Amino acid sequence: MSTIEATGLVKHYGEVKALDGLDLFVPEGTILGLLGPNGAGKTTAVNILTTLIRPTAGAATVAGADVVKSPGKVRKRIGLSGQFAAVDENLTGFENLDMIGRLYRLGRDSARVRARELLERFDLTEAGDRPVKTYSGGMRRRLDLAGAIVAEPPVLFLDEPTTGLDPRSRTEMWGVIRDLVGKGTTLLLTTQYLEEADQLADDIVVIDHGREIAHGTADELKAMIGGERIEVTVTTTDAVAQARDILATFSGGEVQVNERSRKLIAPMSGGSVEFRHVLRDLEAAGIAVYDVGMRRPTLDDVFLTLTGDVAESGLDSQEEKVGV
Amino acid sequence: MNSLMWAAHDSHVIAKRNVIKIRRVPEVLMFVLISPIMFVLLFAYVFGNSIDIPGGSYREFLIGGIFAQTVIFGATFTGAGLADDMQKGIMDRFRALPMSRAAVLVGRTASDVIYNVLSLLIMALTGLLVGWRINEGLVSAALGFALLLAFAYAFSWVMAYVGLLVPSVEVINNASFVVIFPLTFVANTFVPAENLPGVLRTFAEWNPVSAVTQAARELFGNIPPGTPEPTAWPLENAVLYTIIWIFVIIAIFAPLSVNRYRKAR
């Protein structure tokens, strides 16, 4: 039996179907990455599994307890770190963790010891007695995550733990999360970034419009959508069509064209050799290039390939490359 | 520990958290203390001399009304605090914790009593400076203050419920005006209920705000001899009527709010 089991989860808000029949299974001690764009239903799924909202239909158990019938039991076994760092900014880091410990009913002394221990572990010892107001975004997220593991729950939910963080804080956060799961915690992690799921998750479920559209390991998903991407931006609109023909001769997949920004994107599998050939042919054709590069597939690529649709975050969000 | 003791424990933890905030954001406290001074002075000097009360001083009559109005407005803090917690996402953290479902609300309403204790203290001192007097002895006056606080506490459960319904702190501030202004004005707070016309008079006579005001005046000894006796039952039995309302409000709004907290959003 899986530690997290959800079958046929449905959540309607009036006409809007936030979840439309989602199944999730997370075996004990593994990490599931729930990957999808804004509005795909990731947070709704987390909110149902953490007892914050009730599903319109479907059933779910977490660590053996039913989320609708015995939410109290579920709450004793989970930790949640939400999308917005849910810490009290008027309290100090220590006071926040101490309060959460008391509310998990650890007892006065244990709550204090645990708070100090976590501050040290999350590199917040120095800031521990300052109000959270004075913390940076990364520090708040670390404190929020520390709050989720105060009672060492066997099951952890992290809803977009790195959204809005700068690349350095993000990498730090990944280290912290990896460390947690090394200790046998079962984790459900939501993210908008394939790279993040790739770095952390054993198994990835891609969702859109409240439904699963793909499921597999990071490698399986990448294989499904075909390797790396080449991105070319040409200097004149006239050259776009010609550049497109050149890219098409190398690429196995469809070439994406944005006329307005004069940007072309194509899947590639031939590595740097093929990349050099593309450059050579572009030069031979006399096409002036403004920008060119190779990159790993992003969530947008996954979406484009799986749904034929650009992810809601839009083509331009490819600037938001992850994993520096 | 049984579940009731745990609920008390959790509420205490939450109340402590709210008290820390009062200390860390002293600006809020400053306004809480300045506005009652302002109210007492404005009403005492702007209206205090222009309205006649048969056989007594309008200023002395007013103070009880100002006390009642101010502590009832204090309930807005409860609603605003809860709306703020929801907006900032910390409410979701509490709701996902294995803590008592009533604690966030019990802790909040309890810690907000501090605001009203302080504002009553400040108003009483200001009142004494402008000529208000306690004429019925200290025990009776203490009962008057206790009744005002208890009524304000009950009313903070109404605003707790409103705070859980609205989407943001801005809305609660406006919502509280819509609820509290009519309640505190169509009452005997600033003019005797008998002076109001028709329907307004009936409303004012049965309005619990009138009763708590009347009770405070009686307990402070601010009803001058020769004032016509009120003829409506709630005002004749102001203390009893106020106590009944305190229990009714809590009995309705505490379960309503806790239920709303359980399924917020």
Side-chain angles (χ1 to χ4, degrees):
Chain A
M1 202 175 99
S2 297
T3 300
I4 302 175
E5 283 194 8
T7 45
L9 287 186
V10 173
K11 181 69 184 178
H12 291 180
Y13 289 102
E15 292 290 292
V16 183
K17 292 177 181 170
L19 282 183
D20 197 14
L22 183 69
D23 300 335
L24 294 172
F25 298 93
V26 193
E28 190 179 345
T30 67
I31 306 187
L32 176 77
L34 191 57
L35 179 69
N38 277 331
K42 303 188 297 288
T43 300
T44 307
V46 168
N47 285 348
I48 290 173
L49 293 172
T50 55
T51 78
L52 293 181
I53 57 176
R54 285 160 157 261
T56 310
T61 58
V62 174
D66 189 297
V67 297
V68 176
K69 289 181 201 129
S70 32
K73 277 188 191 157
V74 173
R75 289 182 203 118
K76 282 188 187 140
R77 298 167 195 176
I78 62 167
L80 165 66
S81 176
Q83 203 174 129
F84 309 99
V87 286
D88 190 323
E89 50 177 27
N90 295 306
L91 302 191
T92 66
F94 172 78
E95 286 164 345
N96 267 288
L97 296 179
D98 180 49
M99 172 182 73
I100 295 169
R102 298 296 307 274
L103 293 172
Y104 269 114
R105 295 161 180 181
L106 293 186
R108 183 190 302 261
D109 296 337
S110 316
R112 283 185 187 160
V113 171
R114 182 74 178 138
R116 288 290 172 207
E117 205 177 278
L118 284 169
L119 287 172
E120 181 159 350
R121 176 157 161 208
F122 285 79
D123 201 16
L124 293 165
T125 305
E126 247 169 79
D129 292 316
R130 281 202 331 246
V132 172
K133 242 184 276 196
T134 65
Y135 286 21
S136 70
M139 289 162 78
R140 282 178 196 223
R141 285 299 179 97
R142 293 209 299 276
L143 183 65
D144 192 61
L145 184 56
I149 61 167
V150 164
E152 299 182 303
V155 187
L156 204 53
F157 293 88
L158 304 182
D159 192 10
E160 301 198 12
T162 68
T163 297
L165 290 187
D166 61 68
R168 212 189 101 203
S169 310
R170 180 170 292 160
T171 317
E172 276 173 18
M173 205 63 180
W174 287 351
V176 171
I177 294 170
R178 254 188 229 113
D179 195 38
L180 278 180
V181 179
K183 300 201 161 81
T185 308
T186 306
L187 170 63
L188 190 149
L189 162 101
T190 77
T191 180
Q192 302 190 38
Y193 311 114
L194 180 61
E195 181 77 19
E196 184 160 294
D198 188 3
Q199 288 277 337
L200 298 171
D202 301 305
D203 197 19
I204 299 172
V205 170
V206 186
I207 66 169
D208 191 26
H209 299 299
R211 255 188 304 231
E212 173 183 315
I213 57 170
H215 182 189
T217 63
D219 288 339
E220 284 165 359
L221 288 177
K222 277 186 207 158
M224 205 182 295
I225 63 169
E228 290 145 319
R229 294 291 185 275
I230 183 167
E231 258 181 38
V232 178
T233 308
V234 296
T235 51
T236 61
T237 317
D238 302 343
V240 170
Q242 212 182 343
R244 179 207 169 101
D245 293 341
I246 291 169
L247 284 175
T249 60
F250 289 96
S251 173
E254 198 187 336
V255 181
Q256 239 177 290
V257 180
N258 186 332
E259 292 276 355
R260 207 164 49 87
S261 62
R262 304 182 306 279
K263 188 169 174 182
L264 304 96
I265 300 170
M268 287 280 158
S269 47
S272 58
V273 177
E274 204 169 62
F275 183 61
R276 277 204 305 279
H277 290 169
V278 173
L279 290 182
R280 184 198 61 203
D281 286 9
L282 286 170
E283 200 182 329
I287 297 172
V289 171
Y290 177 69
D291 187 26
V292 63
M294 292 266 286
R295 60 167 176 77
R296 310 186 64 184
T298 65
L299 181 56
D300 277 331
D301 302 319
V302 176
F303 271 81
L304 188 70
T305 315
L306 294 176
T307 66
D309 222 355
V310 176
E312 253 149 71
S313 46
L315 198 62
D316 290 334
S317 73
Q318 281 166 0
E319 256 70 65
E320 227 179 22
K321 285 171 207 164
V322 192
V324 177
Chain B
M1 291 215 267
N2 61 30
S3 66
L4 206 63
M5 286 160 78
W6 275 121
H9 166 273
D10 295 349
S11 304
H12 176 245
V13 174
I14 295 290
K16 216 175 92 186
R17 165 220 173 207
N18 298 338
V19 172
I20 293 176
K21 182 179 173 179
I22 298 179
R23 282 209 324 260
R24 298 265 158 81
V25 195
E27 294 86 349
V28 176
L29 194 58
M30 210 173 73
F31 282 105
V32 170
L33 300 184
I34 288 176
S35 61
I37 299 178
M38 185 193 77
F39 271 120
V40 171
L41 295 180
L42 275 180
F43 277 95
Y45 288 103
V46 177
F47 299 116
N49 299 324
S50 55
I51 297 177
D52 272 333
I53 292 288
S57 122
Y58 181 59
R59 197 174 286 177
E60 199 150 284
F61 174 85
L62 261 180
I63 295 287
I66 296 167
F67 282 2
Q69 188 191 41
T70 308
V71 295
I72 290 167
F73 263 106
T76 310
F77 280 105
T78 303
L82 291 171
D84 190 44
D85 284 348
M86 301 240 286
Q87 223 174 341
K88 297 234 169 86
I90 196 160
M91 202 66 110
D92 279 349
R93 159 142 276 151
F94 291 141
R95 293 180 63 240
L97 286 175
M99 58 189 280
S100 155
R101 302 284 95 187
V104 168
L105 303 169
V106 173
R108 167 65 63 184
T109 50
S111 59
D112 286 348
V113 172
I114 293 175
Y115 286 121
N116 275 338
V117 169
L118 291 173
S119 77
L120 272 180
L121 190 71
I122 293 284
M123 283 190 293
L125 292 175
T126 318
L128 289 171
L129 285 178
V130 301
W132 169 70
R133 291 292 177 266
I134 289 170
N135 304 318
E136 279 287 334
L138 286 178
V139 176
S140 172
L143 283 176
F145 284 121
L147 200 63
L148 282 165
L149 284 174
F151 185 79
Y153 176 77
F155 200 76
S156 71
W157 280 98
V158 177
M159 295 316 287
Y161 183 60
V162 178
L164 292 172
L165 288 179
V166 301
S168 75
V169 183
E170 289 75 24
V171 179
I172 188 85
N173 286 327
N174 292 319
S176 71
F177 268 84
V178 175
V179 178
I180 298 177
F181 249 110
L183 268 182
T184 57
F185 269 86
V186 187
N188 66 349
T189 35
F190 305 116
V191 293
E194 294 79 30
N195 291 7
L196 294 168
V199 186
L200 287 185
R201 173 175 174 173
T202 312
F203 182 87
E205 284 172 343
W206 289 85
N207 183 348
V209 178
S210 299
V212 71
T213 307
Q214 176 76 14
R217 282 180 188 137
E218 286 171 7
L219 292 165
F220 295 142
N222 291 152
I223 298 183
T227 308
E229 284 288 318
T231 49
W233 186 86
L235 297 180
E236 287 168 338
N237 304 278
V239 175
L240 176 64
Y241 187 69
T242 305
I243 292 171
I244 292 172
W245 268 98
I246 290 169
F247 282 103
V248 169
I249 292 173
I250 294 177
I252 292 172
F253 282 91
L256 213 55
S257 305
V258 172
N259 201 35
R260 177 74 201 172
Y261 170 83
R262 277 173 189 278
K263 40 175 113 143
R265 284 183 311 141

